[in-house]
Amino acid sequence: MADRGITVLVDGRIDGPDGIGRYTRQTVAALRARAETMTTADAGVHADADDALSVRVEVLGPTGTGRYSRAEGDELAAAADRVGADLVHVLDYRMPWRGLTAPVIVSAHDVVRLVDPELCYTDRQFTARFGTRAFEALGVAVEDLRELTPHPGFDTANAPRHREFYARMMRLTASRAARIVVPTQVVLGQFAEFVDAGAPLAVSPWGVDHLPREPDDLDRGFLLYVGQARVHKRVGALVDAYAASDAYRAGVPLVLVGRDFVPGSAGAEQLREHPCAHRVMLLDTVDDALLAALYARAIALVHLASHEGYGFPPLEALAAGARVVASDIPTLREVLGDSAEFVHAECTASVAAAIDRVVSTPDPPALRIRRSARICERRWSNHADTLIACYRAAVTA
């Protein structure tokens, strides 16, 4: 550690069109904006000197190295050596298990695959999504982790590779990390229940001020879902409820947005034969400008996930002034408060009735004020400040 300063390497390689990719991009941007000077723009190197212990941040950007592999960790460890990092910040739960001597801070989005192991990929699903070579690399990583975590916490006999990797890596990360940062109190409690975390845990809500603002007086004419088509997102339940609603019979469209809704994808095939498919519009991942426009023109976002660590789409919808119908689960109760209409997602009639209420009734001004107040403190700059405080605490502990 340099005199009165530390160098932090941030793992910014995850850049996909999902919540973790969103978190990575916005966290890196917030840390850059937080810094007062830019010393090496091309390398993403910044210095922050408003406190006695300055923080210099370097970012390892996307490289194409496969996730869930030994090479992924080795690459980060080599980068840490190259820049002389005093600390490494991993923006997902996967930390290097070889060659890294610097302490590690981990952003852990959730532990849902420990809460519900069925959410892990089967071997076939993993191969279909990531490819045969990635599946082989996953097997090598699992072999390594077996030596490091002899007690994974569940019976590994006949377990899919992804499930074993996830369980073992979560336990390794929890035992080795210097700090673990989570987005909600719910995730904090799940760590206590499902992971024996030796590291201090801190709760720091992610931001929601990343999308451009659209005018507040736009006409709103459709229902919206943004996200994946994985089973825990309950897209099928959403479409069934939409088909049972008066909104469907009145011709109000439903728009589904995400990479799983391109032609030929699992989400698209799931919906192709549905009786209401002619009123469902499927869109691939969209850029932030179009996403903001969709939120600003939606009557409501409907989000029926059975598990969430945070839940970007409902908060993004609130920030854009849209109403939200959400599944009644602890995480969404925590992040949305009284700003959404909560439903039992497994009850088609209940969801359909909620859809009809938001479509047919005016949006009360008091509710709009509550929605605005709910999201005003969820800023990426606040999250960056928490992270920088964690960096300083970790190296001075």
Side-chain angles (χ1 to χ4, degrees):
M1 182 170 64
D3 186 31
R4 298 174 64 81
I6 57 175
T7 297
V8 180
L9 175 65
V10 177
D11 184 2
R13 290 174 295 174
I14 301 176
D15 196 35
D18 56 9
I20 298 175
R22 167 69 73 188
Y23 175 78
T24 298
R25 291 187 296 274
Q26 300 307 146
T27 297
V28 167
L31 288 168
R32 285 173 168 162
R34 176 68 174 78
E36 293 186 355
T37 60
M38 182 180 296
T39 59
T40 311
D42 290 342
V45 183
H46 307 273
D48 161 74
D50 67 344
D51 286 295
L53 187 64
S54 65
V55 177
R56 175 184 175 90
V57 176
E58 291 208 25
V59 179
L60 177 62
T63 61
T65 301
R67 295 163 69 177
Y68 310 103
S69 68
R70 177 191 287 172
E72 179 186 30
D74 290 351
E75 181 178 64
L76 186 62
D81 286 342
R82 187 168 60 250
V83 302
D86 300 296
L87 182 73
V88 173
H89 184 187
V90 178
L91 301 189
D92 195 10
Y93 69 98
R94 300 184 311 280
M95 65 182 292
W97 60 88
R98 309 190 316 170
L100 183 62
T101 57
V104 179
I105 283 183
V106 174
S107 289
H109 305 266
D110 55 57
V111 293
V112 296
R113 291 181 177 89
L114 295 180
V115 176
D116 185 357
E118 295 303 314
L119 296 180
C120 292
Y121 293 108
T122 66
D123 291 346
R124 179 176 294 181
Q125 288 170 335
F126 188 96
T127 302
R129 188 135 197 162
F130 299 101
T132 301
R133 289 186 179 179
F135 182 66
E136 292 171 352
L138 176 67
V140 173
V142 167
E143 290 294 333
D144 285 353
L145 291 172
R146 284 174 180 167
E147 296 182 9
L148 298 170
T149 55
H151 306 291
F154 75 102
D155 183 3
T156 61
N158 300 316
R161 284 185 187 176
H162 181 239
R163 180 185 178 191
E164 186 172 354
F165 176 93
Y166 184 85
R168 292 184 183 277
M169 178 56 80
M170 287 296 289
R171 281 158 176 78
L172 183 71
T173 296
S175 67
R176 289 190 175 184
R179 293 284 192 282
I180 298 174
V181 183
V182 298
T184 62
Q185 292 290 339
V186 170
V187 175
L188 185 74
Q190 289 172 340
F191 255 95
E193 182 177 356
F194 292 95
V195 186
D196 183 15
L201 287 104
V203 177
S204 177
W206 306 165
V208 72
D209 55 334
H210 45 267
L211 294 179
R213 280 303 299 257
E214 294 280 324
D216 294 329
D217 57 352
L218 298 175
D219 291 336
R220 296 180 178 272
F222 54 87
L223 298 162
L224 181 65
Y225 169 79
V226 176
Q228 300 181 49
R230 300 288 308 278
V231 62
H232 68 290
K233 299 298 186 178
R234 294 199 276 212
V235 175
L238 163 59
V239 177
D240 288 344
Y242 169 66
S245 71
D246 292 336
Y248 165 70
R249 288 183 284 274
V252 177
L254 171 64
V255 180
L256 308 181
V257 181
R259 63 182 178 184
D260 291 342
F261 301 114
V262 297
S265 65
E269 289 303 305
Q270 178 182 347
L271 299 170
R272 187 164 56 89
E273 301 298 330
H274 200 284
C276 73
H278 61 290
R279 289 206 181 123
V280 179
M281 178 181 294
L282 305 182
L283 297 179
D284 194 354
T285 302
V286 298
D287 63 26
D288 282 357
L290 180 51
L291 182 60
L294 288 168
Y295 283 130
R297 290 165 174 79
I299 300 170
L301 177 93
V302 187
H303 191 84
L304 303 182
S306 59
H307 300 281
E308 285 289 0
Y310 189 59
F312 276 123
L315 284 166
E316 290 171 341
L318 293 184
R323 299 166 83 172
V324 171
V325 175
S327 53
D328 193 356
I329 60 174
T331 299
L332 294 181
R333 280 282 184 181
E334 179 180 339
V335 300
L336 301 177
D338 59 358
S339 299
E341 177 145 0
F342 292 99
V343 294
H344 296 293
E346 68 277 6
C347 177
T348 299
S350 173
V351 179
I355 288 173
D356 289 336
R357 282 193 295 274
V358 297
V359 169
S360 64
T361 61
D363 188 10
L367 182 57
R368 292 199 297 272
I369 292 171
R370 287 206 303 271
R371 290 201 299 265
S372 177
R374 190 74 192 173
I375 55 88
C376 68
E377 294 183 354
R378 294 179 182 270
R379 308 186 66 82
W380 287 106
S381 59
N382 294 341
H383 184 56
D385 287 343
T386 299
L387 293 176
I388 289 171
C390 287
Y391 298 162
R392 292 185 172 117
V395 298
T396 58

